[in-house]
């Protein structure tokens, strides 16, 4: 049975949290300055400094799923193998910076899926935009669920025991709704400028919270008679840092199967993670929209590459927190730690930190959730309106009507995110051993491969792919990922396990490889179609500048 939360929530924790929320709201309203045009709402007038864009990228990447999920990986696995994937994220950012960023500026797009419209046609744009909206909605809802873990665990600790599944789901729903409501206020009011400046504040709080947690854990762990720093260095250096997934006793095909079915290997880092990051940073409106707020593509590239260089130390920091939490639980023989890895770090924040610091760390979790959610809401509203809704406005509609529609779409997607968060919470309640990062990254894997594949067709070729052919190619990529990720076995298993076992011969790829498989399949099928010569003046002008 878990202990109750000692002393409840002291007033100082509540004061710290309320102060943080008040500052974020003030910064959001002050920075936004009520945008007057669609370009100001969506792109900040292309006037954001590169260092603010950098901070916003860091905040977007370090969502609540990262803040709580990365320590969960370190705690559950007890090693640094997940850190390998950071290598691919750095490499991918360099590729995206020099392959995608300049064309987006040259084509003068607000939604990056307008690039596909100009390059191929409306069918490709609509299909890609729909894939983005669906995937980002699912992923943002799952991230919102992660932020609600802390309030749920807090209620359990205050009661001194478990709560019913219905009550737990209600707490998840109420927490997600309140957090979304607060975030939507400044996102609707200030647009992308409010998002970026509040992201900068939230990135600083997140980093401070991680460093503070690590220092507290370092003091609590009994290191023995030798120097704590020497003992910690010796212990951490002995942990596995890399895994090849290759067994000399197996043949080539068996080793390939092992590599593609393993989550964390050096091959998944250099290939799988590279393609995943290329999709999230080159074909996802959420992150690319931040890049388009910079003054030009040179400063945008600088922000993107520097964000990759900060990714490795951030992942190392939060993995170390998870590993130290495992050391603390074992060294103290503490059986009070939650059985679910997802709840271990929130448990330590609530029960293992002093008042004041506890409030700061709770605020850091909310900061990571709000940073990723605000940008996602702005990006989904922008893509939905630019790619779909604006075409239905009366002819001659001005910026006032378009801004009203943009703000309404932001509220709509906020409500949908809350619904997805509740559905994710229900799934985890029925599958308590599910870990955060595979859930969130797994969602990307199914759809972002086809999305990346069609963008690669657009930037790497001049006359391959076609408006109709790209839709066929994306469908083929999605089908390939579904086939090779265990989906047929899972569906048949619901009916008959014997039928599912008949498909055991099918290879099954793990989540870091899904984007790679989907993008390669889409790209190869798309090459079979030929695009007509560009006739749009923007296309001709942009291609002449590339």
């Amino acid at each position: 049975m878990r202990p109750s939360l000692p002393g409840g929530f002291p007033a100082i924790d509540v004061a710290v949290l309320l102060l943080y929320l008040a500052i974020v709201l003030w910064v959001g309203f002050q920075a936004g300055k009520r945008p007057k045009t669609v370009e100001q709402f969506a792109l900040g007038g292309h006037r954001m400094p590169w260092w603010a864009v950098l901070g916003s990228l860091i905040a977007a990447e370090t969502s609540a799923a990262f803040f709580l999920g990365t320590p969960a990986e370190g705690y559950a696995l007890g090693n640094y193998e997940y850190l390998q994937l950071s290598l691919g994220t750095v490499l991918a950012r360099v590729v995206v910076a020099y392959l995608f960023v300049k064309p987006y500026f040259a084509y003068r797009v607000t939604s990056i899926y307008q690039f596909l419209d100009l390059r191929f046609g409306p069918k490709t744009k609509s299909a890609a935009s729909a894939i983005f909206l669906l995937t980002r909605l699912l992923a943002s809802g799952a991230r919102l669920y992660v932020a609600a873990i802390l309030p749920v665990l807090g209620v359990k600790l205050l009661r001194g025991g478990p709560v019913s599944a219905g009550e737990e789901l209600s707490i998840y729903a109420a927490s997600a709704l309140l957090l979304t409501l607060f975030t939507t206020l400044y996102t609707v009011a200030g647009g992308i400028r409010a998002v970026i400046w509040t992201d900068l504040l939230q990135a600083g709080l997140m980093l401070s919270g991680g460093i503070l947690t690590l220092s507290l854990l370092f003091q609590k762990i009994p290191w023995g008679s030798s120097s704590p720093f020497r003992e910690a260095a010796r212990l951490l250096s002995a942990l596995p840092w890399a895994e090849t997934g290759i067994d000399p006793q197996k043949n080539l095909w068996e080793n390939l199967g092992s590599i593609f079915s393993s989550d964390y290997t050096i091959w998944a880092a250099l290939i799988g993670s590279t393609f995943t990051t290329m999709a999230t940073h080159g074909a996802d409106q959420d992150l690319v929209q931040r890049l388009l707020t910079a003054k030009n593509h040179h400063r945008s590239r600088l922000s993107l590459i520097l964000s990759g260089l900060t990714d490795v130390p951030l992942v190392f920091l939060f993995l170390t927190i998870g590993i130290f939490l495992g050391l603390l639980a074992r060294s103290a023989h503490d059986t009070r730690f939650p059985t679910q890895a997802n709840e271990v770090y929130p448990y330590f924040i609530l029960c293992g930190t002093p008042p004041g610091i506890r409030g700061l760390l709770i605020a850091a979790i909310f900061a990571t959730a709000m940073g990723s959610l605000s940008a996602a809401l702005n990006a989904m509203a922008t893509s939905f309106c630019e790619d779909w809704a604006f075409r239905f406005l009366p002819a001659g509609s001005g910026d006032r009507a378009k801004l009203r529609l943009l703000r309404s779409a932001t509220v709509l997607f906020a409500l949908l995110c809350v619904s997805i968060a509740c559905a994710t919470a229900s799934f985890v309640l029925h599958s308590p051993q599910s870990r955060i990062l595979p859930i969130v990254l797994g969602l990307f894997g199914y759809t972002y491969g086809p999305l990346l594949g069609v963008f690669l067709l657009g930037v790497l070729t001049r006359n391959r792919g076609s408006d109709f052919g790209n839709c066929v190619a994306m469908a083929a990529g999605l089908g390939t990922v579904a086939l090779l990720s265990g989906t047929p076995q899972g569906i048949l298993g619901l009916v008959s396990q014997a039928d599912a076992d008949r498909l055991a011969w099918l290879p099954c790829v793990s989540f870091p490889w899904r984007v790679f498989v989907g993008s390669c399949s889409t790209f190869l099928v798309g090459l079979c179609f030929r695009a007509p010569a560009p006739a749009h003046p923007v296309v001709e002008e942009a291609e002449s500048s590339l």
Side-chain angles (χ1 to χ4, degrees):
M1 182 176 175
R2 293 174 187 165
S4 61
L5 188 62
F9 286 102
I12 188 173
D13 289 336
V14 177
V16 169
L17 182 58
L18 292 178
L19 177 63
Y20 159 73
L21 294 175
I23 292 174
V24 168
L25 199 59
W26 181 81
V27 170
F29 278 98
Q30 290 296 313
K33 294 295 185 184
R34 198 71 180 175
K36 300 292 191 299
T37 65
V38 171
E39 186 185 48
Q40 290 175 358
F41 186 90
L43 301 178
H46 295 292
R47 293 185 176 182
M48 300 305 297
W50 68 266
W51 48 269
V53 177
L54 170 62
S56 183
L57 288 173
I58 294 172
E61 294 157 0
T62 52
S63 64
F66 176 92
F67 194 89
L68 299 180
T70 307
E73 292 296 294
Y75 180 85
L77 303 178
N79 57 49
Y80 284 101
E81 290 182 358
Y82 176 74
L83 185 62
Q84 297 172 97
L85 300 187
S86 299
L87 300 177
T89 67
V90 176
L91 177 61
R93 282 173 173 86
V94 176
V95 175
V96 170
Y98 287 93
L99 193 63
F100 290 97
V101 172
K102 187 176 180 181
Y104 292 153
F105 275 88
Y107 278 75
R108 303 193 298 272
V109 297
T110 301
S111 164
I112 60 173
Y113 308 109
Q114 293 172 323
F115 162 78
L116 297 178
D117 188 8
L118 296 171
R119 175 66 175 80
F120 297 111
K123 294 185 180 67
T124 303
K125 180 202 73 171
S126 297
S129 177
I131 288 175
F132 160 73
L133 290 171
L134 176 62
T135 309
R136 176 51 61 188
L137 183 61
L138 292 173
S140 297
R143 288 173 170 179
L144 186 58
Y145 145 76
V146 174
I149 290 176
L150 191 69
V152 171
L153 185 58
V155 171
K156 291 180 181 179
L157 293 172
L158 285 171
R159 288 192 179 184
V163 298
S164 68
E167 290 177 312
E168 189 167 343
L169 189 58
S170 298
I171 300 169
Y172 273 119
S175 302
L177 182 60
L178 289 174
L179 188 61
T180 303
L181 177 63
F182 187 86
T183 306
T184 305
L185 284 176
Y186 68 81
T187 306
V188 166
I192 194 66
R193 287 180 60 86
V195 168
I196 288 180
W197 288 115
T198 54
D199 278 356
L200 194 61
L201 172 66
Q202 289 156 355
L205 184 58
M206 176 275 304
L207 180 59
S208 301
I211 295 174
L212 191 58
T213 300
L214 192 63
S215 64
L216 287 172
L217 284 168
F218 192 82
Q219 296 172 24
K220 288 178 176 290
I221 295 174
W223 293 107
S225 56
S226 61
S227 166
F229 291 99
R230 186 179 300 117
E231 185 68 16
R234 183 194 63 79
L235 181 64
L236 296 180
S237 63
L239 295 176
W241 288 67
E243 173 61 47
T244 64
I246 297 176
D247 185 348
Q249 304 301 320
K250 297 181 179 179
N251 60 38
L252 174 62
W253 295 112
E254 290 174 335
N255 276 313
L256 284 176
S258 176
I259 289 172
F260 280 101
S261 61
S262 300
D263 289 346
Y264 308 132
T265 65
I266 192 63
W267 314 109
L270 296 177
I271 302 174
S273 180
T274 298
F275 274 78
T276 299
T277 306
M278 284 173 62
T280 58
H281 289 66
D284 184 320
Q285 176 72 16
D286 186 6
L287 286 168
V288 177
Q289 188 168 334
R290 290 169 165 85
L291 296 174
L292 295 179
T293 63
K295 294 180 179 180
N296 52 54
H297 70 273
H298 298 291
R299 299 189 182 188
S300 182
R301 282 173 176 171
L302 177 62
S303 301
L304 180 59
I305 294 174
L306 288 180
S307 73
L309 297 179
T310 63
D311 195 47
V312 176
L314 279 174
V315 174
F316 176 79
L317 170 64
F318 283 91
L319 277 178
T320 304
I321 288 173
I323 292 171
F324 276 17
L325 285 168
L327 291 176
L328 180 62
R330 291 192 297 272
S331 62
H333 303 289
D334 192 343
T335 59
R336 299 174 299 173
F337 271 74
T339 56
Q340 294 185 40
N342 297 344
E343 295 184 353
V344 171
Y345 187 24
Y347 170 84
F348 176 77
I349 290 174
L350 293 173
C351 295
T353 56
I357 293 178
R358 180 191 303 157
L360 184 67
L361 292 175
I362 293 173
I365 293 177
F366 288 163
T368 57
M370 292 162 59
S372 59
L373 179 61
S374 61
L377 293 177
N378 187 267
M380 287 188 288
T382 299
S383 179
F384 174 74
C385 290
E386 289 283 357
D387 300 331
W388 299 88
F390 282 168
R391 72 179 74 168
F392 298 107
L393 288 175
S397 296
D399 279 314
R400 179 174 297 180
K402 291 181 178 180
L403 282 172
R404 190 182 306 116
L405 187 56
L406 271 168
R407 292 189 169 100
S408 299
T410 303
V411 175
L412 171 64
F413 282 108
L415 295 175
L416 291 174
C417 282
V418 174
S419 301
I420 299 298
C422 295
T424 307
S426 178
F427 168 78
V428 175
L429 287 174
H430 288 88
S431 304
Q433 298 308 312
S434 301
R435 304 200 312 273
I436 294 171
L437 289 180
I439 291 176
V440 176
L441 296 179
L443 290 173
F444 286 133
Y446 282 95
T447 53
Y448 270 30
L451 197 59
L452 175 62
V454 77
F455 270 97
L456 288 174
L457 270 175
V459 298
L460 293 179
T461 69
R462 285 289 176 265
N463 58 0
R464 307 309 302 182
S466 69
D467 200 20
F468 171 75
N470 291 340
C471 296
V472 175
M474 285 188 280
L478 181 60
T480 303
V481 174
L483 184 67
L484 298 182
S485 60
T487 301
Q489 296 93 314
I491 294 175
L492 289 175
L494 296 175
V495 180
S496 169
Q497 188 58 44
D499 291 335
D501 292 340
R502 293 192 183 98
L503 295 179
W505 57 272
L506 275 174
C508 188
V509 298
S510 61
F511 73 89
W513 289 100
R514 290 174 186 169
V515 172
F516 168 75
V517 170
S519 60
C520 289
S521 303
T522 301
F523 185 80
L524 291 175
V525 174
L527 286 177
C528 299
F529 298 87
R530 187 177 183 86
H536 198 288
V538 175
V539 175
E540 296 172 348
E541 179 185 344
E543 291 191 347
S544 66
S545 67
L546 296 179

